[in-house]
Amino acid sequence: MAAPGSAPVVVVDPGHDLRANSDTEPIGPGSSTLKIKDGGGTHGVVSGLTEAELNLRVGLRLRTLLRRAGVRVVMTRTRNAGASMGNIARARIANRARARLFLRIHADGSLDRAVRGTHTLHPALRRGWTDDVYASSKRAARIVQSELVRALGFPDRGLNERSDYTGFNWANVPVILVEMGFMTNPTDDRLLATAAYQRRAALGLCRGALRFLGRSPASCA
Ligand SMILES: [Zn+2]
């Protein structure tokens, strides 16, 4: 157990990995509904960057900012190597760390190249699975989404409540998943592929996380 007054823990989860993982896992504790562990994510239509690499770059920058601000950071991964661990494993890392926030970093893809902008996903309410984290996750989603939109300047696509996300249903700590932008949109992709925008994304996420923790977002700069 963390001592009172000690640094809060944020678990940073850069989505995906070098390879997809087609094994399946139950979408929630005790569920007979199975879902694939990791379809592998999207990639930049112009940049050619993989989503796994983009998520990791932003995640590592976010780690640096949060640490500087006095937050303890646990990463679900720090490299692109091997098959993705799946979403139960990611949630278990956050649960074990007793994270004050489990922050999952992704970028989106769409068949429609015109679709762009930032949105944040949070768990839907389901008794026995998410009732313990529903309200706090929704509050975190609202705060982080607004800071991320402000930092990136992308269109605000709002929040999405999801009941089918394995990593949400297994989490016993507040959890959100940010979709920074659409890598299938040339504008979002071009910008997110730059170090400047990866820095902006990390700054927005840091500010959002600190505000959610009741700390001053000024310590992110
Ligand atoms: Zn993804």
Side-chain angles (χ1 to χ4, degrees):
M1 270 301 261
S6 66
V9 178
V10 170
V11 169
V12 173
D13 176 32
H16 311 291
D17 209 322
L18 189 62
R19 291 197 308 277
N21 187 336
S22 55
D23 291 351
T24 58
E25 58 188 0
I27 65 158
S31 176
S32 55
T33 306
L34 299 179
K35 240 175 85 174
I36 189 170
K37 281 188 175 176
D38 191 336
T42 187
H43 65 273
V45 69
V46 178
S47 69
L49 192 65
T50 65
E51 186 201 334
E53 177 63 29
L54 172 64
N55 299 338
L56 182 61
R57 288 185 194 172
V58 173
L60 291 172
R61 285 184 185 277
L62 176 58
R63 175 174 70 174
T64 303
L65 294 179
L66 286 172
R67 278 182 175 165
R68 249 188 243 149
V71 171
R72 251 191 71 212
V73 178
V74 173
M75 303 289 294
T76 57
R77 67 186 183 97
T78 55
R79 298 182 310 153
N80 272 319
S84 178
M85 71 182 90
N87 294 302
I88 296 177
R90 293 175 196 265
R92 282 192 172 138
I93 292 171
N95 293 343
R96 232 178 270 130
R98 292 184 171 84
R100 294 273 301 279
L101 179 62
F102 176 24
L103 208 175
R104 316 184 61 197
I105 303 173
H106 284 253
D108 218 337
S110 169
L111 293 173
D112 181 354
R113 283 168 61 124
V115 174
R116 62 172 301 223
T118 304
H119 60 137
T120 298
L121 281 47
H122 64 96
L125 182 59
R126 162 128 187 205
R127 198 150 303 156
W129 283 0
T130 62
D131 39 359
D132 49 343
V133 301
Y134 173 76
S136 53
S137 300
K138 190 172 182 176
R139 193 173 73 82
R142 234 184 265 121
I143 294 171
V144 173
Q145 168 72 10
S146 79
E147 289 291 347
L148 187 55
V149 165
R150 207 154 70 97
L152 287 174
F154 290 2
D156 185 352
R157 303 183 65 86
L159 307 184
N160 299 102
E161 202 168 274
R162 299 293 294 254
S163 59
D164 59 331
Y165 270 45
T166 307
F168 288 172
N169 294 331
W170 284 87
N172 299 321
V173 295
V175 55
I176 61 170
L177 187 154
V178 298
E179 298 279 9
M180 299 179 284
F182 280 77
M183 297 184 83
T184 42
N185 173 268
T187 306
D188 282 8
D189 175 39
R190 250 189 224 105
L191 294 173
L192 284 171
T194 65
Y197 270 76
Q198 290 160 15
R199 199 157 40 230
R200 285 188 187 209
L203 182 63
L205 295 174
C206 179
R207 290 180 55 90
L210 285 202
R211 273 184 57 200
F212 173 69
L213 296 175
R215 300 185 153 214
S216 167
S219 10
C220 290

